[in-house]
Amino acid sequence: MAKIVLENISKVFGNDVIAVNNVTLEIGDGEFMVLVGPSGCGKSTILRILAGLEEVTAGEISIGDTNVTDLQPKDRDVAMVFQNYALYPHMSVEQNLGFGLKLRKMPKPEAKQRVAEASKILGLEPLMQRKPAELSGGQRQRVAIGRAMVREPRAFLMDEPLSNLDAKLRVQMRAELSRLHERLGTTTVYVTHDQVEAMTLGHRVAVLKDGFLQQVDTPQNLYNHPANLFVAAFIGSPPMNLVEAEVTEHALSFGGISLPLAPEAGLEDYRGRRVILGIRPSDLEDCEVWHNENLPTIDVRAEVTEELGSEVNVIFPIDAPPVLTEDTLAAASDDGDHDNIPLIADVQAKCRFCARVDARTHCGPGDSIRLSVDPARFHFFDPQTGEAVGAGAAATVAASS
């Protein structure tokens, strides 16, 4: 195991394509760090830089106590697990697992023991004589992980290893990866565009956009204390509801709706100005199911209802334009996660909110529903900079320190 440090890392392709822009990141010894962001944000480039498959344009990388910036991949003592498994089709599972050890001329008894241990941990023992073509997708991915395990590297580097699996198998493999990391404790850097993987697997999650590091924190802190509009819009499914609101001394107004401002909101500097208000779908609830007379309410008319079994998504319009900024559009551009696309339409359209309410809600398209909302759970962002403001900004600093 080893700590990994990236210091002011930049990568430029050609003359002007900046894939990674001055990223500094410290990954603790034994930590499971997830890199997440939309397509083209630089996460896979960072992983390839760590592996030595890409040279840095600027900056330094250390693994453990060793500066590996200029070392060849074979000298970095890391193991990479690829999206496409990269198994040798003519070899059996056992041969695939041990091939890297054979290349390193490891004594046969030790190599055989490592292969046997990995196959037992990963449940591959009944499959050892099969070829990759005879395996399911999940079994092939376990073989690819096992091939990395037998090397006993200082770090695992995983590049979207579950993206080729179906949804049910991805859930199963996420659990297996969590158990495996708990057992091995090897430092792991995991790249994904799937925020569900990021939130369920990562000890900490690094969110990237356009090559810049946006925020690094625990999954819960990213969700509860986003540092800026991009993180707020990207993290969470369904995504955060966003609308521009006018700030008065005691209230927020938008689309004909007025909601009280919590005393601790910290928006004194924004009175008489506009902020971008963020409300998580899970922070809106059906008053008929969960009535709390201490919370303010809004009356809306449902356009669409999605019954998910454990809850219901109620989608309704607000008489205000959608928040269309560079950050919200970038968060919506992740073509690999359609559940994370904000509910926005064209510029002339109304903003659409989503409420994730109790499954006992009896509400269909066209029905009126009264929703309660807790002002203490509001998020606020500056319309010009996109940065978190008010009490949320202070909470973000506290959570990351």
Side-chain angles (χ1 to χ4, degrees):
M1 295 189 295
K3 180 172 75 172
I4 297 174
V5 178
L6 294 86
E7 189 170 349
N8 303 120
I9 292 296
S10 292
K11 176 63 180 180
V12 181
F13 291 101
N15 295 324
D16 57 358
V17 179
I18 304 174
V20 180
N21 201 326
N22 198 34
V23 168
T24 295
L25 180 63
E26 183 173 311
I27 301 163
D29 186 5
E31 184 174 17
F32 198 120
M33 173 66 78
V34 178
L35 308 182
V36 70
S39 300
C41 70
K43 55 189 184 294
S44 290
T45 302
I46 290 176
L47 201 73
R48 291 175 62 81
I49 285 171
L50 283 174
L53 302 176
E54 296 284 358
E55 294 182 0
V56 297
T57 305
E60 292 189 340
I61 311 151
S62 62
I63 301 176
D65 297 324
T66 307
N67 186 323
V68 302
T69 310
D70 299 317
L71 293 185
Q72 294 297 311
K74 63 183 178 62
D75 300 320
R76 299 192 179 200
D77 195 16
V78 297
M80 196 156 179
V81 179
F82 294 94
Q83 175 181 349
N84 61 358
Y85 318 134
L87 302 179
Y88 296 104
H90 62 287
M91 294 184 183
S92 66
V93 168
E94 185 175 20
Q95 291 169 328
N96 266 286
L97 289 173
F99 186 68
L101 304 180
K102 182 178 179 181
L103 288 180
R104 288 169 177 76
K105 296 182 169 42
M106 179 175 286
K108 287 185 178 181
E110 183 180 354
K112 187 173 182 179
Q113 180 181 355
R114 287 196 186 186
V115 168
E117 288 175 353
S119 65
K120 183 177 181 180
I121 291 172
L122 293 168
L124 294 172
E125 291 172 302
L127 311 174
M128 294 295 273
Q129 302 311 314
R130 293 190 189 180
K131 300 288 178 63
E134 302 172 90
L135 305 177
S136 69
Q139 291 167 340
R140 291 179 197 175
Q141 194 55 274
R142 290 209 301 272
V143 176
I145 292 168
R147 187 175 54 188
M149 278 177 55
V150 297
R151 290 178 50 189
E152 297 182 1
R154 290 193 290 178
F156 291 133
L157 308 178
M158 299 190 176
D159 190 8
E160 305 206 41
L162 309 184
S163 62
N164 286 340
L165 306 180
D166 62 51
K168 185 175 181 180
L169 195 51
R170 280 203 304 273
V171 173
Q172 179 185 334
M173 285 299 297
R174 284 203 307 267
E176 289 188 20
L177 281 174
S178 291
R179 286 196 298 269
L180 184 62
H181 183 266
E182 192 71 27
R183 181 166 182 169
L184 300 178
T186 306
T187 306
T188 302
V189 186
Y190 187 103
V191 161
T192 182
H193 67 266
D194 185 337
Q195 59 159 305
V196 176
E197 280 183 25
M199 300 291 276
T200 54
L201 286 172
H203 293 165
R204 287 189 301 154
V205 177
V207 183
L208 292 122
K209 169 182 171 279
D210 297 335
F212 287 95
L213 190 58
Q214 302 292 307
Q215 187 175 356
V216 185
D217 215 324
T218 64
Q220 203 63 36
N221 281 339
L222 284 178
Y223 186 83
N224 290 326
H225 308 294
N228 56 43
L229 195 55
F230 173 77
V231 177
F234 187 79
I235 297 294
S237 182
M240 184 183 287
N241 301 303
L242 298 166
V243 67
E244 276 204 27
E246 186 81 25
V247 182
T248 63
E249 187 173 357
H250 300 296
L252 292 158
S253 301
F254 59 94
I257 294 172
S258 181
L259 290 171
L261 195 60
E264 65 275 14
L267 291 183
E268 291 79 9
D269 294 341
Y270 283 82
R271 285 177 185 165
R273 299 166 56 190
R274 299 181 75 80
V275 296
I276 294 175
L277 167 65
I279 304 174
R280 292 283 184 197
S282 55
D283 291 332
L284 293 160
E285 190 52 80
D286 182 358
C287 291
E288 287 193 7
V289 177
W290 293 103
H291 180 66
N292 185 336
E293 60 185 19
N294 296 320
L295 294 180
T297 63
I298 57 174
D299 292 299
V300 300
R301 187 175 297 276
E303 274 190 349
V304 177
T305 57
E306 299 173 334
E307 297 190 16
L308 306 176
S310 58
E311 62 251 330
V312 177
N313 287 341
V314 179
I315 299 166
F316 57 93
I318 297 291
D319 192 16
V323 176
L324 298 177
T325 70
E326 180 185 341
D327 286 328
T328 59
L329 292 174
S333 70
D334 183 10
D335 55 7
D337 185 2
H338 299 292
D339 289 338
N340 197 37
I341 296 177
L343 299 165
I344 56 177
D346 57 76
V347 178
Q348 285 75 37
K350 293 181 180 179
C351 180
R352 278 164 176 78
F353 271 28
C354 177
R356 176 160 280 189
V357 299
D358 192 283
R360 291 172 291 176
T361 290
H362 298 292
C363 178
D367 291 344
S368 295
I369 181 172
R370 176 166 290 178
L371 300 170
S372 62
V373 58
D374 186 355
R377 299 183 66 83
F378 288 170
H379 302 263
F380 306 106
F381 306 92
D382 187 283
Q384 275 70 51
T385 67
E387 297 299 311
V389 295
T396 300
V397 172
S400 59
S401 60

